[in-house]
Amino acid sequence: MADEQDKNELAEDRTDWAEDRTLMANERTFAGWMRTGLAAVGIGLGFNALFGKLEPAWVAKAIATLFIAIGVFVFWSAQRNASAVQKRMDSHDAAPIRTSNMKLIAAAMAFASLCLAAGIWAIDLRQ
């Protein structure tokens, strides 16, 4: 009887550890998607820098803004999906990032990216 109880406790421990590993994997996935969003924003900024003198001028700005908008969507989607996973899981020994912090990080990145897009439209690179 004691042997069966020990096996059940070990199984519960393994399940708890697996859940903690899943929470940590969720954070790594969130970070990966945030990097992907930053890459999209960087591509937009780089496109505008390389082709800023393209005529008409709004074409380069529009393409850059499109990439920045894709980055903002990636930020929003990443926090939405990561928060959903986080809410479904229970932490045991791990200390996962709070969902409010994920939302704050994504919101800050989106705000900064939108400011960058506004700056692209406000600046004149043809001088």
Side-chain angles (χ1 to χ4, degrees):
M1 181 75 164
D3 190 41
E4 186 175 320
Q5 187 176 9
D6 287 343
K7 286 182 182 180
N8 285 339
E9 287 176 13
L10 287 173
E12 286 178 17
D13 285 345
R14 284 192 301 269
T15 301
D16 292 347
W17 294 334
E19 201 164 25
D20 282 350
R21 285 191 305 271
T22 302
L23 285 169
M24 298 296 106
N26 182 49
E27 288 182 15
R28 289 189 303 273
T29 302
F30 173 72
W33 279 110
M34 295 303 286
R35 284 189 300 272
T36 301
L38 281 174
V41 171
I43 289 170
L45 182 60
F47 188 90
N48 188 59
L50 280 173
F51 299 104
K53 297 182 189 251
L54 188 67
E55 287 297 330
W58 64 268
V59 172
K61 291 178 181 187
I63 294 170
T65 303
L66 176 65
F67 276 102
I68 292 171
I70 290 168
V72 169
F73 174 76
V74 170
F75 298 147
W76 173 79
S77 181
Q79 73 79 23
R80 184 173 160 255
N81 291 333
S83 293
V85 169
Q86 200 91 337
K87 287 178 184 176
R88 287 194 312 261
M89 307 293 287
D90 290 324
S91 173
H92 303 282
D93 291 328
I97 189 171
R98 295 185 349 223
T99 57
S100 60
N101 287 346
M102 286 184 192
K103 291 177 182 178
L104 181 65
I105 292 166
M109 299 300 283
F111 177 74
S113 298
L114 293 173
C115 288
L116 180 62
I120 285 173
W121 285 94
I123 195 169
D124 185 12
L125 294 175
R126 290 182 279 170
Q127 296 174 353

